[in-house]
Amino acid sequence: MTMHADPVIQVKHLSFRYPGAERDTLRNVSLEITRGDFVAVVGGNGSAKTTLCKTFNGLVPHYWAGDFAGSVSVDGQDTFDSTVAELSSTVGYVFQDFQNQLVRPTVRDEVSFGPLNFGHEDYAERTDETLEHLGISHLRDSFVWQLSGGQAHLVALASVLAMRPSVIVVDEPVAELDPARAREIYLQLRELNERHGITVITIEHHAEFVAEFAHSVILMADGAPVWHLPVQEAMNRHRDLEEHGIPAPDAVALSALVLGADDDVALDVSTAVELLRPHVAREFTATERPLDPGTDRELVASLRGVEHGYRSIGGALRPVLHRLDLDLHAGEQVALVGTNGAGKSTLMKLLTGLIVPRQGTVEIGGIDTRTRSATELADKVSYLYQRPQQMFLRDSVREDVAMFPTGRRREGAQELVNQVLTRVGLDPLAERDGRTLSGGQQRRATIAIGLAMTPSLLLLDEPTSSLDVRSRDDVMAMLASLSSTVRCAVVATHDMELVASWATRVLVLDQGRVLLDTDPRSMFSRPEVTGQARLLPPQAARIAQELGITPTPLTAAELRTCLPTRDAALTKENR
Amino acid sequence: MARKTRDVLSVEWVRLELLRTAYATRGGLLARMDPRMVLLWYVLLAAAPWLTHNVTVLIGLFVLGAASVVASRVGPLVLGLFVFGLTTDIIALFAASFFFGGDWNTLAALAVLNLKIGVMSMASMAAFISLDPEKLSDALLALRAPELLAFGVSYGYRMLPILVDEYITVLEGMRLRSAAPASRGLLGWRTVLHWSVMSVTAFYPIMLNTAKNVRTTVEALETRGFTYAAHNPKGRTLRLAHLKVRGFDVAVVLTTLALVVLAFAIGVEYPLYRIG
């Protein structure tokens, strides 16, 4: 087969067991990665994707010493007889929590760190060249703590590329970045792959990126590859993927509905549009989520003429919000969207009373936040941080959930805590420290903390970020059930699927102003707005838009109603 | 009392001041110098006061120290802490010496010590505020400090802003989720106690979180040749190649040396020792 013509990585009968573990993490793995390939490693949680990739640069078995059997060779070099340092010149690794990978104070120093350690005379040229390639030369003198998430990821990538590796491994770029930024990272990776011939290996949960960018796909399950196939064949087997917790991208799932069993599914939006066009109905009957009529639109919070800004390190006042007027009502599920720096977090903090505006007023339930402390306002508002670990202040999940109601001597605090823990499904884990839970469990624990505060206004910052697809669905279902207990919920998010499926109202913030205040469907139907605020509508919505369906279906489920059933489609095709 | 956004004496202000201080963002005279020369300058000014008991000389050095603090653009937070520290020290000594039956003589003797410490503190402020983390770690490396120390210093600086942010976030979470004391108590002692407890307990989650985060850092260091560099000195040579002592650096050190000598000369001419 020509595909394995020039393997850069060869794994033969590899098994690996972490020290002290009960069973092997990698089980008899054999695979080859061709030079110049763009490989996506996919698989459910605990399928050993990361462990596999750490054998490529020798972290396994040299840093993680365990039982190692079989062989891995990289560029002809057996990794067992090599060192992490030597292998790192061939295989660069960008970690999932890439922020912790940055070890030097400035960007320039960070990128030149590797080449300097290895004593490369041309370290300065390598640094400049790499920054240039990734289009981040303007950041060279920035301090790493000033970088946004997307920029920090590019810097981590640059620091790896400066060693001129022939292979780079990128562990879950989408986990910590919003989709629009993650797409930029992928575009860079494609560039490196096509222009510079670098072999790219990504570990990825989001099949949408896999379909669009990868050339081949390795599906891992339980410590061994199920198959390694070219991307088209891999996506044709979307049922296999789904079985292993990787839901098919909308383009794949929708095109599969109108195709025969042996046809190639669509990998991207434009192909999906071509395939769907002959079958689709141009009209869509939206079933809008009605606002609960019983609440009579009671006012929960209101902002009048709010101006706020922060001092920068240089001392100048950097304005964040401009003359903002906003009312939040009972029964609303509000999504707050916009780029980083648009003012989302500032708005949330103003609503909690942690900060007060420089001008204008913020009222929560008729109380001016200037007249109460944040501690007192917490009776009405609760705020859930983006990073769950920052909310674990006590030794166990139960104590964290109980902290607010027992601290304030609420009546029936114990029952409330038990009830909330059951509701988020954390009863069996309630005595554990929150930090030891999985990402999805951590997020549910923070929601429990918020619910136990019985707020009338619940604020959530990026509740679905860095979750795998299944945990994300869990959290989304939980948010959907909030409306019965919380009067008004505001979610700041980059997750457009969440906006499409959960929100009843969307506020688009752009440079400190409300660019648009409407329902999700109207927002996604206005490309000029989504473009300006750099929002990437869900794939299904993009397909629907290109097909010219009105009003725009936002999710795959909605778009499906515009398509004939599978059999009908095939009959039509045959005629 | 109505709350408002404060630009000074707020948590946010302390955060910004820490960063400005740590990263030498204000610039200044010493910030333009080669870091090794800054350290030399520091040793010169910090050692000088310990060579004499002559109050005239010490006053001269104190003025020199104060001038270098101004020239290095030391920020209000650090300066404020220094002045606060010095004055409370004097008041405490004053109280203590009278309590234990001392008199003005004891106090004068202690004032000499305070002058010396003051000069040294001001030299430290001026020097270390002018060294950003890269410069400081390069200087340490150049002076043959252990690799790990030099790296540790720069890594500490890189972590500082993140830890400060994390601390503030955890503290905010505590403010929101803990109950304020029902009454403020005499002079608000309950509120003070509440805040004190919160600000100490806020360290606990941060330590746990950080311990978890550095696992990646250690792996990343391995992949980027940190241990490799420890056995291969070529990287060190390359890293330090940019350090260069220029005429300006020499001029600043020589001028300082001249001024120190001048202070001693004036001291010889108009000596002032404590009476008794």
Side-chain angles (χ1 to χ4, degrees), chain A residues 54 59 63-64 88 95 97 99-102 104 106 109-110 113 116-121 143 145 159 163 308 311-313 315 349 353 356 358 369-370 372 375 378 385 389-393 395 400 404 407-408 435 449, chain B residues 1-5 7 16 19-20 23 133-134 137 151 154-155 158 161 166 169-170 172-180 204-205 208-209 212-213 216-226 228-229 234-235 238-239:
Chain A
K54 283 184 179 169
L59 280 173
Y63 181 81
W64 294 99
S88 294
F95 291 82
D97 51 340
Q99 300 273 12
N100 296 316
Q101 172 175 0
L102 308 175
R104 302 292 294 187
T106 65
D109 197 11
E110 174 67 27
F113 185 66
L116 271 173
N117 281 336
F118 287 106
H120 297 304
E121 305 259 354
F143 296 119
W145 45 267
S159 67
M163 310 225 270
H308 200 69
R311 294 281 162 192
S312 70
I313 201 101
K349 283 202 173 170
V356 292
R358 286 177 187 269
T369 57
R370 279 206 184 81
R372 298 287 161 88
T375 311
Y385 289 97
Q389 7 175 329
Q390 293 175 332
M391 297 202 65
F392 300 133
L393 308 178
D395 294 340
D400 266 318
F404 184 90
R408 308 209 175 197
R435 268 164 280 270
I449 293 170
Chain B
M1 194 176 69
R3 301 159 65 208
K4 63 186 272 252
T5 305
D7 283 328
L16 285 175
L19 296 185
R20 286 169 189 152
Y23 284 87
E134 262 183 86
S137 101
F151 174 78
S154 82
Y155 183 69
R158 175 239 174 293
E166 181 113 334
T169 309
V170 171
E172 278 176 355
M174 291 209 160
R175 271 168 71 192
L176 292 180
R177 282 160 60 194
S178 64
Y204 164 71
L208 292 175
N209 293 346
K212 206 176 161 200
N213 293 342
T216 300
T217 309
V218 177
E219 279 184 50
L221 281 175
E222 199 67 32
T223 64
R224 294 174 60 201
F226 183 65
Y228 178 88
K234 195 167 174 210
L238 281 175
R239 177 179 288 283

Side-chain angles (χ1 to χ4, degrees), chain B residues 90-217:
Chain B
I90 290 170
I91 292 170
L93 284 172
F94 191 79
S97 72
F98 277 94
F99 186 75
F100 289 109
D103 53 16
W104 288 104
N105 270 337
T106 357
L107 205 63
L110 289 168
V112 172
L113 181 66
N114 265 318
L115 263 180
K116 291 183 180 183
I117 293 176
V119 174
M120 205 177 143
S121 315
M122 285 193 291
S124 315
M125 280 193 286
F128 289 100
I129 261 166
S130 308
L131 290 173
D132 68 26
E134 262 183 86
K135 279 186 168 177
L136 184 56
S137 101
D138 285 354
L140 288 171
L141 212 54
L143 299 172
R144 298 270 163 199
E147 197 96 359
L148 207 59
L149 176 71
F151 174 78
V153 164
S154 82
Y155 183 69
Y157 274 106
R158 175 239 174 293
M159 288 303 287
L160 177 81
I162 291 167
L163 291 179
V164 171
D165 278 351
E166 181 113 334
Y167 180 78
I168 292 174
T169 309
V170 171
L171 195 63
E172 278 176 355
M174 291 209 160
R175 271 168 71 192
L176 292 180
R177 282 160 60 194
S178 64
S183 75
R184 295 172 54 84
L186 186 66
L187 295 175
W189 74 270
R190 281 179 209 275
T191 311
V192 172
L193 180 72
H194 177 64
W195 273 87
S196 310
V197 169
M198 279 201 301
S199 42
V200 174
T201 44
F203 280 104
Y204 164 71
I206 293 175
M207 281 188 275
L208 292 175
N209 293 346
T210 311
K212 206 176 161 200
N213 293 342
V214 292
R215 284 191 305 192
T216 300
T217 309

